[in-house]
Amino acid sequence: MTAVELAAAVRSGERSALDIANEALAAIEAREPELNAYNVVLADQARAAAAAVDQKVAAGETVGPLAGVPVALKDNMCTNGVATTCSSKILEGWIPPYDATVVTRMVDAGAVVVGKTNLDEFAMGSSTENSAFGATRNPHDITKVPGGSSGGSAATVGAGAVPLSLGSDTGGSIRQPASLCGVVGVKPTYGAVSRYGLIAFASSLDQIGPFTSTVADAALALEVIGGHDPLDSTSIPQPMADLTGVLDRGVDGLRIGIITELSGDEAAGSVAGIAADVVAQVTKAAQVLETAGAKVSTTSIPSSVHGLPAYYLIAPAEASSNLARYDGVRYGHRADGANALAMNAASRTAGFGEEVKRRIMLGTYALSSGYYDAYYGQAQKVRTLMINEFNERYQDFDLLLSPTSPTTAFELDAKTADPMTMYVNDVCTIPSNLTGQPAMSVPFGVGDDGMPIGVQLLAPMLGEPTMMQAAAVLESAARAGEAK
Ligand code: GLN
């Protein structure tokens, strides 16, 4: 059942939240030995929370829109009294004294937290192989990666164990794993969902969003977690728009552009490496939207190809600053050293994994005085150029369309030897992080290998309602078999 259906059944007293929690916990347990999607399963806490929802229903009290819905949280969101690790050894033993705003909002809406999910360490990666606690596997084929960095959250929804999970997206970490696991994943407008209590990777890019099996569930989850939060200085003032109420509006008259540079058409100027089976699904999605009344055409956004290099300077630069706080004094892991500096170096050497160290070094270099203008400064200029070009394109288009990921899920270990091959996975998702604009991945058929493919819808700032309308059209076409 979907989150919408489960909450309705709990509210009406037709289903007990405790039964639902027990079913989810059993489904998680059944798959966990092969998936490794969770860093911790909170069985007792979940049962107690579910029983409390049932009691409220029995007493005739109001329960929220997610009453009794099991939800999994990426383990980079702070949970009061429950270890939060970022899948890193450096946070070993650290227990946050507060909940992230998204956690508070979920719980206030009646959701039942069932566990914290595995991720690439500090959300740096595209395969969930950079975890200190071992890789997560794809629920559709355990020899393959689930994508990343929110791989655990994507895998558990893709496995059907829970209807809803939360992830974070800095360069694609919700959308790419959603695509690879065959689920819906949304990166909201920057500032639309509070980052309070999300452990920072690259603060100007990070956003929290949902993984679900339906567009309607994603819309509901966003309504619950979105809206202004005074605890996040980058939170935008307005509440989240009505999303659940617009899903049946269709796309008649909407202008939708296929981004040439991400189209796979190399002769026309597309980046290389977008697989033919992925291109075929994007083409079918465009046809579905056109049949539903949208005006679809291709449009060139030249700067979109520069997103990847700009991101891999800006994100590491911000990370090098954000991760400076893990010094062996204030949080988690501490190694011995002859003096404070030696202790600090030894703690960081032992606590951080290889990819995190690579990012810290890259970012520190890009920010160093002799290189600042050549690297970080240049990347910021590219970012401004992209914002201008995308805004200009949105004068002519309501939405843009592209693949989410250049390929379907790849084999475990296929890309771990060379970081560059891993980074190019993010070519289609990074632009929306640099511009701050919303984007989402909608499951749309399968590739030649039978693995899920997602298509990406991109929208201008606060364009979530239009984006959801188009997603609903694609979803019903895929359900009707038109994505085959
Ligand atoms: N794969 C990208 C990276 O490694 C994006 C990660 C993310 O969105 N958190 O940085």
Side-chain angles (χ1 to χ4, degrees), residues 260-334:
T260 306
E261 286 75 9
L262 304 176
S263 68
D265 184 352
E266 287 174 48
S270 170
V271 294
I274 300 178
D277 55 353
V278 172
V279 173
Q281 292 310 114
V282 175
T283 306
K284 276 183 209 161
Q287 284 160 359
V288 162
L289 294 165
E290 201 155 41
T291 307
K295 295 188 197 72
V296 184
S297 56
T298 52
T299 184
S300 171
I301 308 183
S303 64
S304 53
V305 300
H306 303 310
L308 199 66
Y311 170 88
Y312 276 98
L313 287 165
I314 292 169
E318 293 188 22
S320 70
S321 167
N322 275 326
L323 272 60
R325 72 191 71 176
Y326 306 108
D327 53 8
V329 177
R330 286 169 288 185
Y331 303 93
H333 186 83
R334 177 183 300 179

Side-chain angles (χ1 to χ4, degrees), residues 194-263:
S194 172
R195 291 184 296 114
Y196 179 74
L198 170 69
I199 296 181
F201 163 10
S203 311
S204 78
L205 303 161
D206 300 339
Q207 267 296 283
I208 292 173
F211 290 94
T212 57
S213 61
T214 67
V215 174
D217 280 1
L220 177 61
L222 277 174
E223 287 178 357
V224 168
I225 62 173
H228 184 66
D229 178 14
L231 298 174
D232 172 0
S233 64
T234 59
S235 170
I236 55 180
Q238 51 265 74
M240 180 61 74
D242 174 16
L243 301 175
T244 48
V246 303
L247 297 177
D248 57 1
R249 291 202 184 158
V251 293
D252 194 22
L254 290 185
R255 301 156 304 166
I256 300 177
I258 300 172
I259 305 172
T260 306
E261 286 75 9
L262 304 176
S263 68

Side-chain angles (χ1 to χ4, degrees), residues 32 37-42 71-80 82-86 96 103 113-119 152-153 199:
E32 196 50 15
Y38 286 83
N39 287 345
V40 62
V41 177
L42 302 165
V71 56
L73 305 170
K74 185 177 184 177
D75 199 16
N76 61 352
M77 296 171 201
C78 289
T79 39
N80 190 3
V82 174
T84 298
T85 70
C86 285
V103 177
V113 175
V114 295
K116 312 269 319 262
T117 60
N118 199 9
L119 63 146
S153 284
I199 296 181

